[in-house]
Amino acid sequence: MLKGVAYILRKLDEGWGKLRRFYLVNYREDHVQRHLTLRRGECRRCGSCCRLMFRCPHLMGENQCNIYTCRYKQCIAFPIDDRDLKYLRHTCGHHFVNPREVEKAEAVR
């Protein structure tokens, strides 16, 4: 019983994340751009982000997106911040740096 409740809570949290990302990329582009300046690394094309809450219908075999060249804004921006990495099944190639580290690096330049 407890395992079922934990699963439902996880799916609700994943759904909230989807709504949050949709809102941010469509109505708070400034916020998204600020956070993306802190993102480092690159996509490993593991497909984990395409399976949050449910499997994306555009995800084909071998973790290939069949609309990659015209994918949704929230897909392009994923991950927006550390919260988006919370439920990924594989280790994402992206990570985020502390804003203070960025400020220090810019001050040195």
Side-chain angles (χ1 to χ4, degrees):
M1 175 75 172
L2 215 49
K3 200 173 186 178
V5 171
Y7 175 80
I8 291 170
L9 291 175
R10 176 182 167 148
K11 290 299 178 184
L12 287 171
D13 196 30
E14 289 176 7
W16 174 249
K18 282 188 174 289
L19 287 172
R20 181 179 60 80
R21 287 186 296 278
F22 178 83
Y23 168 77
L24 289 174
V25 299
N26 288 291
Y27 300 104
R28 295 288 313 277
E29 290 182 34
D30 58 325
H31 175 85
V32 172
Q33 289 307 313
R34 254 190 337 272
H35 280 272
L36 293 182
T37 62
L38 303 174
R39 185 173 77 183
R40 302 292 185 268
E42 55 188 55
C43 179
R44 293 184 179 161
R45 295 188 168 231
C46 67
S48 287
C49 56
C50 303
R51 292 182 182 90
L52 287 174
M53 192 171 177
F54 56 85
R55 182 184 170 89
C56 177
H58 302 292
L59 185 65
M60 297 296 135
E62 305 264 341
N63 298 324
Q64 297 298 311
C65 176
N66 69 350
I67 61 165
Y68 189 81
T69 57
C70 60
R71 65 196 189 279
Y72 307 110
K73 287 182 185 180
Q74 58 268 33
C75 297
I76 294 168
F78 189 91
I80 295 172
D81 57 35
D82 276 330
R83 290 179 284 184
D84 295 333
L85 301 174
K86 186 176 177 180
Y87 290 120
L88 295 182
R89 291 184 181 107
H90 300 356
T91 304
C92 185
H94 291 109
H95 64 281
F96 291 87
V97 295
N98 187 322
R100 292 184 183 139
E101 292 175 21
V102 174
E103 290 170 6
K104 287 178 186 177
E106 288 176 357
V108 170
R109 290 182 191 169

